[in-house]
Amino acid sequence: MENVVLYPFNKITQGIFRFRDLTDFNVTAVVDFVLHKGCDVGELIEGAAAGIPITDNIEEAFRSANTLILNDPGTSFGNNEGVYGEFNLKELWRVLVLAAHEHNIRIISVHEILDQNTLQWLEENQIIIDIDEQIPDRLVSRMVDEYAFPSPTDEITTYLNYFELDTKIKTYNQRICKVGIFATRGCLGKFTAQMSLFRELKKAGEKVRTIITEPTASLFNQPGGDIMKFIARRPLNQYPYYINAAVRDAENDGCDFIILSGQGSLLPNENFIIAATKISYLRAFSPDLTVLIAGYDDDEQIRDSLDILRIYGNGSRSFAILIPDKYEVDFGQYEFKTHEEMERRKQEIRSRFDVDHVECVLDIGKLTSELIKHRKSISQ
């Protein structure tokens, strides 16, 4: 994988592009049949041209490529049902994939392809799509070996045996500095904050690893933490132990920091299992420092989130509250906040909440030296 074309242009693509310096491949083009055709990706995301076009011309996109990375499984998913039908994206996806196959371009999908009609079409055309693995085998093996999960004899015995595991888990991961990034709701910039901090710590000479819950972890050569990817392989009740094993693996490799970005909102919803899982992996990660990302009218949610982090986050220190510079208001459409709006909101948060730092998501790198100072203090 050297020269890569991405499809389509969405927040996943934007994340891969924004942090392309942390990958070992080159992005040469983005194919999209809906948004920003004819634009340069760099101008849209970074404000400066990068020579990487967004195009609906497949032949042009594949001119120097050897890999196509799909972050779309070929059928409507998420919140794009209307867009999928309006632009006939199911058929265009097949045109794109068939063209890649005919050009002998390797095709990778970051999502599982589950639609039976799509799978049948791929088989009929002898097209192979590699599904990007997110949960490393070595970490699953480490989890199974170290925690020796009880056999599922009966639910009561299994329930009681997990108390022994929880006692064992507390003796691990004492030296590495664990930074948890969470949010009052989804799509506020957790991945951007995580990877920005990851990049800046690396630049500062720190040995750092990050657990990525977006479906792109292996593209950055980092362990994945997507719950859906995990439960496709192992029982859900083992997920918190997997997170702990990932931290232990980083510590044993001599890492100074590990960064975890939570999945979705930190706040629980009505589903008991999902709510319990959020608390469980927060406890298993046991952050030393937490960063909370919040919206512009989320004061009540901030209070609730800070309480959850204090109670279930190992008494971790609330290091910073971040605010986004933009909101997604429709498919690929954003409302940008002005400098004055961001400064006003930061001042409101400073006056209402007791945290060390308040910054924009894009400015988390400013906190790198403070994080290093804190790590040195806890390692002494």
Side-chain angles (χ1 to χ4, degrees), residues 52-339:
I52 302 174
I54 301 175
T55 180
D56 60 355
N57 186 321
I58 296 172
E59 291 297 320
E60 175 189 324
F62 287 162
R63 192 166 295 151
S64 60
N66 59 18
T67 305
L68 170 65
I69 295 179
L70 305 168
N71 58 84
D72 181 325
T75 55
S76 177
F77 74 114
N79 62 351
N80 67 355
E81 184 174 352
V83 174
Y84 228 87
E86 179 182 353
F87 291 92
N88 194 26
L89 293 183
K90 180 176 180 179
E91 185 59 34
L92 289 172
W93 183 92
R94 293 188 177 189
V95 170
L96 174 67
V97 168
L98 185 59
H101 174 67
E102 291 173 346
H103 283 73
N104 293 316
I105 289 174
R106 181 188 179 196
I107 308 170
I108 297 172
S109 175
V110 301
H111 297 287
E112 283 78 12
I113 297 172
L114 303 175
D115 179 69
Q116 290 301 313
N117 289 331
T118 303
L119 291 171
Q120 182 178 347
W121 177 83
L122 292 171
E123 183 178 357
E124 289 171 352
N125 288 276
Q126 299 182 315
I127 298 173
I128 296 174
I129 295 181
D130 297 326
I131 304 301
D132 195 30
E133 293 293 335
Q134 303 293 317
I135 308 297
D137 288 336
R138 62 182 180 80
L139 287 185
V140 173
S141 296
R142 155 160 259 165
M143 176 191 72
V144 172
D145 292 344
E146 292 195 347
Y147 302 112
F149 292 107
S151 300
T153 49
D154 63 80
E155 290 193 16
I156 293 176
T157 302
T158 300
Y159 175 80
L160 294 174
N161 283 343
Y162 272 102
F163 284 107
E164 184 178 343
L165 278 181
D166 290 342
T167 301
K168 185 177 183 180
I169 208 173
K170 292 175 184 175
T171 66
Y172 292 157
N173 308 329
Q174 300 295 316
R175 299 184 304 277
I176 192 169
C177 183
K178 296 158 287 182
V179 181
I181 299 176
F182 305 96
T184 56
R185 46 192 157 114
C187 300
L188 291 181
K190 295 186 299 296
F191 178 75
T192 299
Q194 176 186 30
M195 299 304 286
S196 296
L197 188 57
F198 179 56
R199 173 195 279 156
E200 292 304 315
L201 286 168
K202 285 171 70 72
K203 286 181 180 178
E206 300 293 310
K207 190 172 183 182
V208 56
R209 192 167 294 170
T210 187
I211 303 172
I212 298 176
T213 53
E214 293 282 1
T216 52
S218 62
L219 300 180
F220 296 98
N221 300 308
Q222 297 297 308
D226 187 326
I227 292 178
M228 296 302 293
K229 301 284 187 182
F230 182 84
I231 63 176
R233 300 183 56 184
R234 304 290 303 185
L236 177 61
N237 58 13
Q238 294 180 6
Y239 178 75
Y241 303 94
Y242 167 78
I243 294 296
N244 189 269
V247 177
R248 185 158 171 75
D249 187 69
E251 182 178 55
N252 286 350
D253 283 349
C255 288
D256 305 305
F257 287 93
I258 188 162
I259 308 168
L260 169 69
S261 170
Q263 206 158 356
S265 166
L266 173 67
L267 299 174
N269 58 12
E270 291 78 8
N271 186 299
F272 173 77
I273 294 175
I274 294 175
T277 300
K278 291 182 179 185
I279 298 302
S280 295
Y281 83 73
L282 175 59
R283 290 283 291 175
F285 184 66
S286 293
D288 298 295
L289 296 171
T290 58
V291 174
L292 180 67
I293 306 178
Y296 285 70
D297 54 357
D298 283 3
D299 281 6
E300 183 177 342
Q301 291 87 346
I302 291 174
R303 292 189 182 93
D304 291 345
S305 297
L306 291 177
D307 282 343
I308 288 174
L309 292 172
R310 175 178 54 82
I311 296 168
Y312 298 105
N314 192 32
S316 56
R317 181 176 164 197
S318 294
F319 180 69
I321 294 178
L322 308 180
I323 58 171
D325 66 318
K326 62 183 179 182
Y327 282 109
E328 187 172 19
V329 294
D330 201 352
F331 180 79
Q333 303 299 315
Y334 294 90
E335 174 189 313
F336 288 83
K337 294 295 182 179
T338 66
H339 175 75

Side-chain angles (χ1 to χ4, degrees), residues 361-372:
V361 166
L362 296 176
D363 295 330
I364 192 173
K366 295 179 180 179
L367 307 179
T368 301
S369 60
E370 291 296 319
L371 283 167
I372 294 172

Side-chain angles (χ1 to χ4, degrees), residues 21-34:
D21 57 306
L22 300 174
T23 69
D24 53 13
F25 55 80
N26 301 313
V27 177
T28 59
V30 176
V31 172
D32 197 283
F33 303 110
V34 180

